[in-house]
Each structure stands twice: as C-alpha cells, then as structure tokens.
Amino acid sequence: MLLKNLALFLRIVEKGGLAVAGREMGLAPATVTDRLAALEEHYGARLLTRTTRSITLTDEGRELVTGARRILAEAEETEARIKLGVEKISGAIRLSTPIDLGHNRIVPILDAFMDEHREVSVDLTLSDGIVDLVGQGIDLALRYGKLTDSSMKSKKLHDNHRLLCASPEYLEINGVPQHPKDLVQHNCIVIRFGTQLFHDWSFSVDGQQQTYRVQGNRVANDGELVRRWCVEGRGLALKSEWDVHADLKAGRLVSLLEDFAPQPNSLQMTYPAGAVQPRRVRALMEYLSNAFATWDQTV
C-alpha cells in the first residue's frame, strides 16, 4: 500500500490538486484524503499545505517527491527485470523538448528508440517555455544554454549553432543585411520564453561578442511558428541549425551574416539532481547521445 500511496502523492503534486488526481486514478475524494493522511502519518510529517485554491509542498513534501520517484522507479525496474529479463527495458518515459527541436530532430530519434524497445512508452511535452520538471513529473528535458538551476543536473548533447535566416522573397524586397548593425532596419521575428523576450541577439564582431537589440511586428512563444513566419517571408529569425536545416537545403531559407555567426551555445539533457534515473531513461539518454554524436556526419 505504501507504493500505491506514494504514486498517489506524486499524482497530486503533478496535477496540482487532490480531486483531479483522484479522478485520474479512479478514487473517491474521501479515499484520496484518507490515503494522503496515512502517508503523512507514516512519515510523521505534513507533506502538503492546502488552501481552497491551491496546494504547496512543505519542505518534507519536496524531499518526499524526490524519494518517491526513486523508490517507485526502482520498484518498477525490479519488476520489469523479473518479468521481462535483464536485457529488456519497459515503462513510461516523460520527456520535454523545445517545439521545433522536437518535431525536426527528436521525434525521429524517439521513433527509432521505441522500435527497438517495444515495451517502452513515451509521454512527450513540446514547449519552448520553462517547464517544472519536478512538479510535472518529467524524467528528462532537452534545453538550450547553460544550466542555472542547482536542483537539476545536466549532460551536454551537442553544440548548438544559431543561424540568422530569411526567405529569398523577404531579401528580394528588403535587401540583405551586411552587418549586425543593419538589423535595426529589418523586421525581426522574436521568440518569447514565458514573459521574457529573446530580442537581444548576439554576434561575433571583430572577435568579440556584441549584442544587438532587434524589433519587429511579430512575437511568439512557439519556435515552430517563428520558423514558419520566416519561411513565409515575414521577417528575419535567429534559429538553431537543427530547426532550419531542411529549409536551408530546400532553398526556402538563406543563412545570413555567416562571418558574424554567434558563438554556439549547447543543447543539454536536464533532469532532477536527486533522482535515480530508471534504466529506460538512462537507455534513452545514451541513445540520444549517440544520435547527436553522428549529427555532423549526416548534415
């Protein structure tokens, strides 16, 4: 019963409420309340602070989230080893990636991985915003740039080269920028991460990184939409090489200011620091690492 109560506790945290967690698990509200109380009695600590509108984790609750995930992952892995044998992996993997990267690069890798491991299922979240890995129960996230959250661990997958792009139609009408300072005269498509606008674009000028603030009449929190607008000739966009690789090859986009290309950032695999990754997640991490290691050979 302890394992079932731990699973219920995690579902409550992920869904943000007792009622919705109970509905998803087919439990009556009174049963959910009783089982949460039993879990708090077992550990001798209050795990959640509840109001009429929300729940928040106590310090003990936050500690149990990490511990519960580890306990349940180990129990599930042990069961899978007994039922399926040591060579097979099984179970669900919850993965989060940026939207364009997911569509253009990650989904084909996941398809190949799942073809090899038929007992594995994947729950994929495509989002360009900030995702709460612990709160949403996500095993692994792919993110660009340096890790700043000390509660997370990360492993570098690959350098990410960013390219300034435009469609041939846009350039024919508006001209070709020759220097980053020319961007002030162009309509630049800006992506937004949560409430933060990514409108300070960096370029390498005379061996130094220089930042130029751009502006335009289109802003979106969806990288795929930014790319589509760029292909349609709506403006310039600064995109990851993976997002626009096919468009460049097909001539739908043109790479600009290559002599001023910004320094690459990195694509990271990020996961909660205190979590013991299940074998299936470790297998996917290795599969992703191998896939990106051969990227330069396939472009």
Side-chain angles (χ1 to χ4, degrees):
M1 181 57 76
L2 177 60
L3 293 181
K4 291 182 178 180
N5 287 349
L6 289 174
L8 173 60
F9 171 69
L10 290 181
R11 188 67 62 90
I12 292 170
V13 173
E14 291 166 11
K15 298 302 177 181
L18 277 68
V20 64
R23 284 196 299 271
E24 289 201 357
M25 299 186 75
L27 300 174
T31 302
V32 174
T33 301
D34 289 345
R35 286 175 57 174
L36 177 60
L39 197 61
E40 290 180 327
E41 183 178 355
H42 176 82
Y43 287 105
R46 173 165 290 195
L47 303 173
L48 300 171
T49 299
R50 285 176 278 171
T51 68
T52 55
R53 294 190 176 184
S54 65
I55 62 169
T56 56
L57 286 164
T58 64
D59 290 341
E60 293 80 5
R62 280 190 289 272
E63 185 73 21
L64 185 59
V65 166
T66 300
R69 290 216 171 97
R70 181 176 62 250
I71 292 167
L72 292 172
E74 290 174 349
E76 186 177 345
E77 188 165 320
T78 298
E79 183 177 356
R81 284 176 178 269
I82 293 171
K83 289 183 176 180
L84 301 174
V86 296
E87 298 302 322
K88 290 187 178 182
I89 60 174
S90 67
I93 301 174
R94 301 184 72 177
L95 175 68
S96 173
T97 79
I99 296 172
D100 252 6
L101 180 71
H103 282 296
N104 297 323
R105 188 75 179 139
I106 302 304
V107 167
I109 297 173
L110 287 178
D111 289 340
F113 177 78
M114 295 174 72
D115 285 343
E116 292 186 18
H117 303 286
R118 298 286 184 174
E119 303 295 330
V120 169
S121 62
V122 170
D123 183 339
L124 178 62
T125 298
L126 297 174
S127 173
D128 290 323
I130 298 172
V131 176
D132 180 2
L133 271 63
V134 173
Q136 296 186 27
I138 291 174
D139 299 301
L140 184 67
L142 305 188
R143 289 292 177 262
Y144 294 119
K146 293 181 179 179
L147 180 67
T148 58
D149 187 343
S150 61
S151 67
M152 297 290 146
K153 285 185 177 180
S154 66
K155 180 180 179 182
K156 180 179 174 181
L157 266 180
H158 202 284
D159 284 330
N160 168 49
H161 296 273
R162 291 161 292 167
L163 307 176
L164 180 68
C165 301
S167 71
E169 293 78 12
Y170 175 90
L171 297 174
E172 183 177 352
I173 295 171
N174 299 280
V176 180
Q178 302 299 317
H179 189 280
K181 65 184 180 183
D182 298 338
L183 295 180
V184 70
Q185 303 168 14
H186 285 268
N187 194 27
C188 297
I189 305 170
V190 174
I191 191 167
R192 173 170 44 80
F193 301 105
T195 59
Q196 183 177 0
L197 291 178
F198 179 54
H199 59 176
D200 292 322
W201 293 1
S202 295
F203 295 89
S204 181
V205 179
D206 297 327
Q208 300 291 325
Q209 287 292 110
Q210 303 255 359
T211 299
Y212 297 81
R213 176 154 292 189
V214 302
Q215 59 183 359
N217 62 0
R218 292 173 187 264
V219 176
N221 66 343
D222 182 328
E224 184 180 12
L225 179 56
V226 169
R227 182 193 61 80
R228 193 169 77 228
W229 277 341
C230 190
V231 169
E232 293 173 354
R234 312 294 185 181
L236 306 178
L238 189 63
K239 294 290 293 177
S240 163
E241 60 180 327
W242 298 306
D243 296 346
V244 295
H245 175 67
D247 295 316
L248 293 171
K249 286 189 67 175
R252 293 185 293 267
L253 290 178
V254 176
S255 179
L256 305 169
L257 299 183
E258 293 184 348
D259 291 340
F260 302 94
Q263 290 293 321
N265 59 8
S266 58
L267 177 65
Q268 309 268 5
M269 294 187 290
T270 303
Y271 51 95
V276 175
Q277 295 290 4
R279 186 161 164 254
R280 58 183 177 274
V281 178
R282 299 196 303 270
L284 177 58
M285 292 174 68
E286 182 179 359
Y287 201 90
L288 287 166
S289 295
N290 292 336
F292 276 90
T294 60
W295 164 254
D296 294 324
Q297 303 169 22
T298 60
V299 295

